[in-house]
Structure formats: C-alpha cells, structure tokens
Amino acid sequence: MTKLSVNINKVATLRNARGGNNPDVTKVAMDCEAFGAEGITVHPRPDERHIRYADVYALRPLVKTEFNIEGYPSKEFVDLVLRVKPHQVTLVPDAPDQITSNAGWNTKENLSFLTELMDTFDEAGIRTSIFVGTDIEMIEYAAKTGADRVELYTEPYASLYPNSPEMAVKPFVEAAKVVRKLGLGLNAGHDLSLVNLKYFHENIPWVDEVSIGHALICDALYLGLKKTIEEYKNCLH
C-alpha cells in the first residue's frame, strides 16, 4: 500500500503570516493522522519562513505515524535530524533562499558527500531518501550512496499531465522500474494533486510513499481537511 504523508509547511506559512499560533501546526498534524494520513512531512528551511525548528521538536513526540523531515543537509539541519531522530530523512539540494524544491540531486557529483551522510543517518537508525529526477544515472548513483529510498521529483509529470498523461508518466515508470531493480524503496512528491495522483499511482503502484503539501492544503480550503485526505487516499487505492 502506498502511504500518504501530508506536508504541513503551508499550514505553518499561514500561521507565520499573522504571528501567534493560529492555525496550530501540531493540532493540524494530529488531525491529519486522525483523518487517515499515514505520515507527516516537514521541511524546515534556514530562514524558518514556514516550519520552524521548534515545530520539529514539538511534533516529534506527537506524531504516531511516520515522521519525515526533508531539507538540504547543512550542519544545522543534520544536527536537528540527529537530535529528533525521525523515521525518515529526505535530502534535497535546495539553496537556502529557494522558494520550493525544483530539481533532484546530481548524485554522481555529490557521491562522497551523500555517502557520508547516508552512513551518519544509518548509524542513527534513520531511514534515508534522496530527492532525484528520472535520469537513470542519477538513480544508480543514489543507490551507490547507500540510501534506503529515492524520492522522484514529480513536477515535470504534473506539468505535462494535462496535455499528455501517457507521455508525462512514461519517464517516471521507467525510472521507477530501475529503482525497484536496484532494491531501493520509492517515494514521490511535488505537485501531485487530486487531478494527477490516481493516474500516477495506477502506473506505478509500488510507490512506497507520496508526500503532498501545497495542493492538499489548497484543496482543504474548499473540501475540508478530513474530506481532502479521504480523497487523496482514494487515489492510492
């Protein structure tokens, strides 16, 4: 079964716009779990413009499903992950001022850097995932780092889907087959939505986890959080 991990960064963005604690990030996370989400994802950035480091510490003892922390592996980020010890850490190659993740790692050029990180997290008992595109060589080098999983960057799929679903999903199917052949776990995320998630899952049903934030929170404004999570889970069944 493919798990749904809800990225709650946008909830924190809304809270931070006015200060205070409304909406309550921890309560929303607990509600997501109560409504059926199998995981919670956070992406703390250096400027803390949405999820703050304090949120990560507050969430850790409360999350009863899978807790996934994603981000660029700066020293501060690595220290945070090692202290919090989530179920999974997802490494993305984002610059500090980047609005959102928009590319996968060049795992070949960063092989030694990523391998050292995989060893560090593995020793701490934390499952590792590396954010990659569909380039087969990048996936092969991700495997060489010792990562447990890769997360396919799905924005290109989402962009092409309205015009040609078959062409949009084709490189992802090919990449996912390589991931499976290499013995890696498979995650996916970025711009997956109620529009395109079902088709993606039908073509790659062995995806372990999808991490969805922006589209899901936007849908929740109209459908409500409980109904929205139900609809996303329906896409995965």
Side-chain angles (χ1 to χ4, degrees), residues 139-160:
I139 294 170
E140 291 172 341
Y141 271 87
K144 291 179 181 181
T145 69
D148 298 305
R149 297 184 182 183
V150 295
E151 178 175 329
L152 294 179
Y153 168 54
T154 48
E155 190 276 336
Y157 162 75
S159 296
L160 185 56

Side-chain angles (χ1 to χ4, degrees), residues 215-232:
L216 189 151
I217 299 304
C218 289
D219 290 331
L221 295 175
Y222 293 92
L223 302 176
L225 187 59
K226 184 176 187 294
K227 177 65 174 176
T228 297
I229 289 176
E230 290 173 354
E231 291 296 322
Y232 273 88

Side-chain angles (χ1 to χ4, degrees), residues 29-30 33 39-40 58-68 87:
M30 300 306 94
E33 288 187 322
I40 299 296
L59 284 163
R60 184 62 186 97
L62 300 176
V63 173
K64 304 305 180 187
T65 57
E66 286 203 354
F67 194 30
N68 172 47
H87 301 93

Side-chain angles (χ1 to χ4, degrees), residues 42-46 53 69-82 89-96 98 101 103-107 110-121 126 128-131 145:
V42 293
H43 186 155
R45 293 181 181 273
Y53 276 35
I69 303 178
E70 63 179 30
Y72 179 80
S74 63
K75 181 183 183 305
E76 292 76 16
F77 178 85
V78 172
D79 289 345
L80 172 72
V81 172
L82 293 176
V89 58
T90 301
L91 303 186
V92 297
D94 290 358
Q98 206 157 314
S101 305
W105 282 94
N106 184 324
T107 51
N110 292 280
L111 179 62
S112 59
F113 174 60
L114 291 170
T115 300
E116 184 176 344
L117 289 165
M118 297 306 106
D119 291 341
T120 298
F121 293 129
I126 302 168
T128 53
S129 179
I130 295 179
F131 198 60
T145 69

